[in-house]
Amino acid sequence: MQRTSLRTNDIKKINKLGMLVLILVPLIGFFISLCLGRYWVDPGTAFNILMTHLFPTDVLGTSIEESVIMQIRLPRIILAMLVGAGLAVSGAAFQGLFGNPLVSPHILGVSAGAGFGAALGILISGKVLYVQVLAIGFGTLAVIITYMISRQKTGTPLFMLVLSGVITGAFFTALISLIKYVADPEEVLPAIVYWLMGSMAGASYDDLLIGVPMILVGIIALLLMRWRINVLSLNEEEAQSLGINVQRSRWLVIMASTLITSAAVSLCGIVGWIGLVIPHIGRMLVGPDHRILLPTSCSIGAVYLLVIDNIARTATAAEIPLSILTAIVGAPFFAYLLRKTGGKWS
């Protein structure tokens, strides 16, 4: 009895330590990122500037340092962390929902639909508001089309959703190619291509007003439903026997992930591999229980994309598109994971 009590106390200590690490590591990454860049800012100065905007104290840095931190780096860091967290938690939820290690938030055609909306917005006017609204709208439309294709009288099997998502994604990818074909090759086409490759450059507080609340709502919804995802990862009969409305719960997860993915594309373009790789890293650290896996993926995803964005803006004179770096890092890791597990997922 005493041994069991000690083991329970040890588990509680480990859980508390793990939660502390999940909170502290993103905070440390956030603060370091404020200092990093072509214009280095001393950590003490960066801290004082932050405190100045939180509490009524005098600014101890120069106006240039304050502008660099508050107007350039802070909105970019917030965007990178939220997009990384959102895509990672969406990927973990989708992999649990579909019971497939190769599933990512892009599987239902959301990214292709949102990418087409963003490209159309750039073609029409180039204004950020047009780009964001059209990207979110067409990302949602892509999921609706996927559902309509997969719908059957007896329900909506998951494999039908996946196949329909592939069809929808291919359709919107073709439309993106059409937009590129008719775009002005001197000005509009480069802007579309660069946007679709993913970038946090030019992030501002005004740009975050539409997309960030949607990402937060999606993340919170998935975190609140994480215990249901454990049940949904079982077969349908077992899930129903536990009193879960399987169809409704599936679509709540899908719509929350759609909200996150389309909002992320509307803010920074298509960023691949995060929703595919980060959940595997989280699973290696904490196991397959989605009650723990989703918060872990959220934290790791935020830090991972923040590190990638720091490399993108500091490695060379010209910014490197995010999708290039995420693929360079993600593809070798996934190849290693495939070799190690032999293609099995447990």
Side-chain angles (χ1 to χ4, degrees), residues 248-263:
R248 185 176 65 184
S249 297
R250 280 177 182 170
W251 280 102
L252 285 174
V253 172
I254 288 171
M255 291 313 298
S257 298
T258 299
L259 200 64
I260 292 171
T261 307
S262 57

Side-chain angles (χ1 to χ4, degrees), residues 62-81:
T62 66
S63 58
I64 296 176
E65 290 169 332
E66 184 182 9
S67 177
V68 165
I69 288 179
M70 299 306 300
Q71 301 301 321
I72 299 174
R73 291 183 187 167
L74 185 58
R76 181 169 184 153
I77 290 168
I78 293 171
L79 177 60
M81 296 186 77

Side-chain angles (χ1 to χ4, degrees), residues 91-141:
F94 266 21
Q95 287 175 8
L97 179 65
F98 289 93
N100 190 323
L102 299 178
V103 168
S104 72
H106 313 298
I107 193 66
L108 299 183
V110 181
S111 292
F116 169 72
L120 184 61
I122 294 172
L123 181 67
I124 293 173
S125 71
K127 293 183 179 178
V128 175
L129 182 62
Y130 279 84
V131 173
Q132 289 190 354
V133 171
L134 287 173
I136 293 169
F138 277 98
T140 306
L141 178 63

Side-chain angles (χ1 to χ4, degrees), residues 106-340:
H106 313 298
I107 193 66
L108 299 183
V110 181
S111 292
F116 169 72
L120 184 61
I122 294 172
L123 181 67
I124 293 173
S125 71
K127 293 183 179 178
V128 175
L129 182 62
Y130 279 84
V131 173
Q132 289 190 354
V133 171
L134 287 173
I136 293 169
F138 277 98
T140 306
L141 178 63
V143 172
I144 294 173
I145 293 173
T146 298
Y147 171 70
M148 296 302 293
I149 295 173
S150 66
R151 189 176 181 182
Q152 296 180 342
K153 293 181 180 178
T154 56
T156 308
L158 292 178
F159 78 91
M160 283 294 294
L161 271 176
V162 173
L163 291 176
S164 302
V166 171
I167 295 169
T168 305
F171 174 73
F172 278 107
T173 300
L175 291 180
I176 291 174
S177 298
L178 179 62
I179 292 289
K180 292 179 181 178
Y181 179 74
V182 301
D184 178 11
E186 297 296 328
E187 296 182 4
V188 180
L189 181 59
I192 292 173
V193 172
Y194 189 74
W195 179 278
L196 293 176
M197 293 174 74
S199 175
M200 303 288 173
S204 67
Y205 297 110
D206 292 336
D207 299 341
L208 305 183
L209 287 178
I210 297 177
V212 165
M214 296 179 66
I215 294 176
L216 285 174
V217 168
I219 291 174
I220 292 170
L222 289 177
L223 291 177
L224 290 175
M225 291 189 292
R226 63 190 187 275
W227 68 272
R228 288 177 179 246
I229 299 173
N230 278 341
V231 179
L232 293 173
S233 62
L234 306 172
N235 64 55
E236 190 164 340
E237 291 76 14
E238 290 178 336
Q240 288 177 344
S241 69
L242 293 172
I244 296 293
N245 187 324
V246 175
Q247 292 295 325
R248 185 176 65 184
S249 297
R250 280 177 182 170
W251 280 102
L252 285 174
V253 172
I254 288 171
M255 291 313 298
S257 298
T258 299
L259 200 64
I260 292 171
T261 307
S262 57
V265 173
S266 77
L267 290 168
C268 61
I270 299 174
V271 183
W273 290 94
I274 293 176
L276 181 62
V277 172
I278 298 302
H280 286 282
I281 298 176
R283 206 172 284 110
M284 291 168 66
L285 293 175
V286 300
D289 187 346
H290 291 88
R291 292 174 298 176
I292 306 171
L293 176 61
L294 261 64
T296 301
S297 298
C298 196
S299 177
I300 297 173
V303 175
Y304 175 72
L305 190 55
L306 184 61
V307 171
I308 291 293
D309 185 54
N310 287 339
I311 295 171
R313 65 186 174 89
T314 59
T316 61
E319 285 206 14
I320 305 171
L322 295 177
S323 58
I324 294 175
L325 293 175
T326 54
I328 289 174
V329 176
F333 174 80
F334 204 70
Y336 159 77
L337 197 66
L338 189 64
R339 292 279 296 175
K340 184 178 179 180

